[in-house]
Amino acid sequence: MLFLNKAWIYGKPINSMVWFKDLFDNEKLPTFSPLAISPDMENEYLFFETVENEPPYSLKHWLSYFKKKCINFKPQYLKAIKKQIRKGDFKNPHKFPDYFDNEFDFISMAFQFGNSPKEIVCNLGLAFVKNGELVYWTNYNILPPDEEDAFLIPKDRVVRLQKLEHVQNFKDLWDSTLLEIFNKNLLVFYDSEVELSVLKTLFLNYGVENFSFWYTDVLCQVELSGNSEKLAELKKFGFKVKKEEDAKEDAVTCANVFHELSIVNPNYLNHIRHLDIGN
């Protein structure tokens, strides 16, 4: 359960990317990890979003746990928790991405595909970094344009209709949500040759033309750092550190790694590229 991870009680997140810790053979660089929310955190959007989606019984146990520890909540947080426990109808008063002024250091992206005899799911995971902190992460199940189409993303992966709740047509998702945040922020991929080809295919299959954004990728930044051995290691293992039902974990891991790279190479903005309908 998200709330009861004790690693965050005293503001000390656990880094799950142990294999990446010696990327540059130096001391461990700082990373962030979305393990839990804390009673005094500054990110109101994330706190309220979590409370809105958490079952009342979990909140009740969580609140009791912190009371026993004599740890106080911000008044607005305590009020939100009590309302969710009492009525189960608390709604986040903040809107995304307005709460963050739609200005992020970067947004990392990951796709995930799952094969089975009957159905294959396409899922988009996003992680948002602002002022050097991971402030939000989410995912979207994407509905193929035609369930009978051979939607090859990537090669030899056929994406078909998955009967899930909250599956969206990518064109609708783009127009309602992604357009606003993608075209105003830097996108970060693990490997742009792969992920960008996936995104381009989505644009093509759904007839999306109103895109214009800057992007870079982790492999490019590692290569620029001159760490050829670590580049080979990244290409071999990638970011599939957990097999989840969505791509959020991969997007968060990508954000962690790129965050470390941006500390090592603060001039990464000199190596970003642009994509639009004419390019």
Side-chain angles (χ1 to χ4, degrees):
M1 183 169 61
L2 177 64
F3 286 106
L4 297 183
N5 194 313
K6 298 180 182 179
W8 259 95
I9 292 177
Y10 300 105
K12 297 180 180 179
I14 294 175
N15 174 31
S16 61
M17 301 186 325
V18 177
W19 63 269
F20 193 71
K21 66 180 180 179
D22 297 321
L23 175 63
F24 297 103
D25 299 320
N26 293 325
E27 293 183 3
K28 183 71 182 70
L29 296 169
T31 57
F32 37 68
S33 183
L35 295 180
I37 61 175
S38 58
D40 60 349
M41 65 190 296
E42 295 298 325
N43 187 345
E44 285 193 1
Y45 179 86
L46 182 57
F47 190 97
F48 288 142
E49 186 76 2
T50 306
V51 170
E52 177 181 336
N53 293 295
E54 194 72 8
Y57 68 87
S58 295
L59 288 174
K60 187 175 182 179
H61 288 297
W62 190 58
L63 182 61
S64 175
Y65 174 84
F66 279 103
K67 282 184 175 181
K68 290 178 180 178
K69 296 291 183 178
C70 297
I71 298 175
N72 297 321
F73 288 81
K74 288 184 176 182
Q76 64 270 35
Y77 292 171
L78 184 60
K79 182 179 179 180
I81 292 172
K82 287 184 175 179
K83 182 176 181 181
Q84 182 70 347
I85 292 175
R86 185 173 65 254
K87 296 184 177 180
D89 62 352
F90 174 77
K91 299 297 181 183
N92 190 342
H94 301 300
K95 300 297 181 183
F96 185 86
D98 299 345
Y99 176 80
F100 302 104
D101 298 320
N102 195 21
E103 295 178 357
F104 302 96
D105 300 351
F106 63 87
I107 303 169
S108 62
M109 174 189 295
F111 290 96
Q112 195 165 57
F113 308 89
N115 289 315
S116 73
K118 296 182 179 180
E119 55 197 9
I120 299 176
V121 181
C122 178
N123 189 273
L124 168 65
L126 299 174
F128 300 82
V129 175
K130 185 179 179 72
N131 298 327
E133 296 182 357
L134 185 66
V135 295
Y136 186 55
W137 55 98
T138 189
N139 71 290
Y140 301 95
N141 293 311
I142 300 173
L143 180 70
D146 186 333
E147 62 177 296
E148 299 302 327
D149 279 353
F151 190 44
L152 301 179
I153 309 176
K155 188 177 181 181
D156 299 328
R157 299 288 184 91
V158 183
V159 180
R160 301 190 182 195
L161 177 62
Q162 168 78 347
K163 294 182 179 179
L164 294 174
E165 294 182 1
H166 311 302
V167 181
Q168 301 186 58
N169 177 286
F170 184 79
K171 180 67 165 63
D172 296 337
L173 175 62
W174 176 264
D175 290 340
S176 65
T177 305
L178 301 182
L179 169 63
E180 180 182 6
I181 59 177
F182 279 24
N183 285 0
K184 293 184 179 180
N185 292 283
L186 175 67
L187 296 186
V188 172
F189 306 105
Y190 161 64
D191 180 357
S192 60
E193 289 188 10
V194 176
E195 278 90 350
L196 198 61
S197 67
V198 174
L199 194 56
K200 287 178 179 179
T201 305
L202 286 169
F203 289 154
L204 177 64
N205 284 351
Y206 290 90
V208 175
E209 298 183 347
N210 52 344
F211 57 90
S212 178
F213 58 83
W214 293 92
Y215 70 93
T216 186
D217 63 52
V218 168
L219 294 185
C220 173
Q221 297 303 320
V222 176
E223 187 173 12
L224 289 170
S225 73
N227 289 267
S228 58
E229 292 183 0
K230 291 299 179 180
L231 178 62
E233 179 181 337
L234 282 175
K235 286 183 176 179
K236 179 179 179 181
F237 294 105
F239 287 155
K240 303 297 181 181
V241 293
K242 292 184 179 180
K243 284 195 172 182
E244 301 289 345
E245 294 180 354
D246 58 62
K248 281 186 295 187
E249 291 289 342
D250 291 333
V252 168
T253 304
C254 182
N256 268 287
V257 176
F258 189 80
H259 176 62
E260 293 189 358
L261 289 169
S262 70
I263 295 174
V264 174
N265 178 27
N267 297 320
Y268 66 90
L269 289 175
N270 295 331
H271 304 284
I272 62 177
R273 288 161 282 180
H274 187 257
L275 181 70
D276 58 30
I277 189 64
N279 177 21

